[in-house]
Amino acid sequence: MKKLTLITLIILLSFSCKQKQEKVIDVKPLTIAEKIAHAHGYENWKHITEINFTFNVDKDSSHFERIWTWKPKTNDVIFSTGGDSIVIYNRNRIDSTRIKLDHGFINDKYWLLVPFQLVWDEGLNISEPIKEVTPISKVEMNKITLTYSNEGGYTPGDAYDIFYGNDYLIKEWVFRKGNSNDPSMITTFENYQNFNGIKIALDHKKADVNWNLNFSNIKISSDRD
């Protein structure tokens, strides 16, 4: 009886050790895209139920804004320009009357959550990281290039050069429409703030001009609130 018990114990220990080894083998290192996303709070995204934000562009004395509410779990979107007019639609059921409006939402959401788009977007090629001097601050940082497929989406074939620090937070980027060699837009990512575990760069500025694409009235709700 003692011999049988000993054999059973050895088998159980062997099975337990094998399980632990398998668990270690199954752990995959994060990709560069995942490291950037996680640095901006991606591990908290699964708890997010609603995002409210105002997308602003301030140039000299002019001001432009769009006000959005997005419920990512249902994909409901509410749009307002600050007046009495409100438009509600669902991104899973977009008709021809909402395409132009949805184009604006995708643009504004992309600026707000680009670190997460790195892991969300399909048809996206991400280069290996290199070291390169940034176009605005003129310091050496890590750089990856995102290149979108020529098929699908509202702006197929576009490319972005993303510069990020050793903390994996994005600091600057270069947008190249249609993967052109020449930059279409270059801005900073600055004034990071934390909203329910999600890190957002509130300001995106160009060099040597009075221009700032920025976010205000941000509220991010979680199912843990």
Side-chain angles (χ1 to χ4, degrees), residues 61-172:
S61 60
S62 67
H63 175 78
F64 169 81
E65 70 179 38
R66 286 189 288 243
I67 302 170
W68 301 100
T69 296
W70 179 38
K71 299 180 180 181
K73 294 187 183 300
T74 60
N75 233 353
D76 291 315
V77 176
I78 302 172
F79 166 73
S80 170
T81 56
D84 296 330
S85 177
I86 294 177
V87 178
I88 302 173
Y89 70 100
N90 185 280
R91 297 207 65 249
N92 299 327
R93 301 182 296 276
I94 298 177
D95 60 31
S96 59
T97 65
R98 296 288 181 260
I99 290 178
K100 184 175 180 180
L101 181 61
D102 190 60
H103 193 168
F105 171 71
I106 291 299
N107 175 80
D108 300 355
K109 177 177 71 72
Y110 195 94
W111 278 93
L112 184 77
L113 299 172
V114 65
F116 299 167
Q117 301 292 159
L118 300 187
V119 295
W120 286 341
D121 288 352
E122 298 178 356
L124 172 62
N125 179 70
I126 301 178
S127 71
E128 290 296 318
I130 61 172
K131 294 284 188 179
E132 191 170 297
V133 174
T134 59
I136 295 179
S137 59
K138 306 300 182 185
V139 297
E140 187 178 73
M141 286 190 188
N142 308 292
K143 172 191 167 184
I144 56 172
T145 296
L146 319 180
T147 308
Y148 282 87
S149 166
N150 288 320
E151 298 180 1
Y154 289 130
T155 54
D158 290 345
Y160 298 82
D161 301 314
I162 290 184
F163 296 85
Y164 61 96
N166 292 330
D167 58 0
Y168 293 97
L169 291 181
I170 298 175
K171 309 297 184 181
E172 297 181 19

